[in-house]
Amino acid sequence: MKKLLITLSLFVLFFSVAIAARCQQPVHTTVILVRHAEKDTVGGNDPVLSAVGNKRAARLQETLKEYKPDAFYSTNFKRTKETLLPWAKAAGKEIQVYDPATQTSLADLFKTQQGKTLVVVGHSNTIPQLVNLITGTNQYQQLPDTEYSKIFIVTIPNVGSPDVKVLTF
C-alpha cells in the first residue's frame, strides 16, 4: 500500500510539474511587415496597384499561409490597402489604418499584443524604420524604390530580444 501511495504521489507530482511548465511557456507576438506591392505609374500621389502588384498582393497570403493574423494595418493609401485586401478579406478582418508619422506609438502598441499575429503594410522608408523601432536597433535601411519583394517577420518574445527573419516573395 505504501508503494502504491508513493507511486501515485510521484505520478501526481510529475503531471503537476508538466502542467505548470506548459502554462509558463513563452508567449510571443509576431509582426509581419511588408512594403506595398508594385504601384501603377499613373495616379499622382495615391496610385493603385499595377497588374504585377495585384498578382503579388494575391500571393502574399499563400506565401505566409502558416500565419493566422489577428489584425491587419495599412497606411491610408490605395496601394497599401490593396496589398492587404485579399488576405484581410479571406481572414474576415477589417484593415486598420495607421499614420506612418506615429510609428513609435505603433511599435509600442505591437509590443503589448502578446500572443497576436499582426500584418503591417507600409512604404520603402517606413517599413524598415518600423522594424528598427520594434527591435530597438538601427539595422534596417530604407528599401530601394524598385524593391517590393521583402517581408520582415519580427518575433517579439515576452522575455528576451526580438528576432527578425527576412523573406523574399
Side-chain angles (χ1 to χ4, degrees), residues 103-166:
Q103 291 208 114
T104 300
S105 298
L106 191 63
D108 291 341
L109 171 69
F110 292 162
K111 292 175 190 177
T112 68
Q113 302 298 304
Q114 283 194 345
K116 303 288 184 185
T117 298
L118 314 167
V119 181
V120 184
V121 174
H123 306 273
S124 61
N125 59 334
T126 64
I127 288 298
Q129 179 186 29
L130 189 52
V131 174
N132 288 333
L133 288 167
I134 294 169
T135 60
T137 67
N138 197 23
Q139 184 175 351
Y140 300 95
Q141 304 305 311
Q142 181 171 328
L143 297 170
D145 230 18
T146 56
E147 177 61 67
Y148 297 95
S149 65
K150 296 288 184 226
I151 299 172
F152 301 87
I153 301 174
V154 181
T155 303
I156 308 168
N158 60 345
V159 176
S161 300
D163 178 59
V164 180
K165 180 168 49 169
V166 181

Side-chain angles (χ1 to χ4, degrees), residues 22-85:
R22 177 172 257 189
C23 291
Q24 294 177 358
Q25 286 182 347
V27 176
H28 65 271
T29 303
T30 302
V31 185
I32 301 167
L33 301 106
V34 182
R35 182 195 178 185
H36 63 77
E38 290 87 342
K39 60 187 174 186
D40 203 338
T41 56
V42 294
N45 290 334
D46 194 12
V48 297
L49 293 181
S50 67
V52 171
N54 280 310
K55 288 179 184 175
R56 185 180 301 279
R59 286 194 333 260
L60 184 60
Q61 178 184 5
E62 179 62 27
T63 301
L64 300 167
K65 62 185 168 197
E66 69 269 21
Y67 297 96
K68 305 296 180 227
D70 296 291
F72 294 87
Y73 294 86
S74 170
T75 59
N76 198 20
F77 288 91
K78 293 174 187 170
R79 60 191 176 272
T80 52
K81 289 189 267 186
E82 288 176 357
T83 300
L84 268 185
L85 191 59

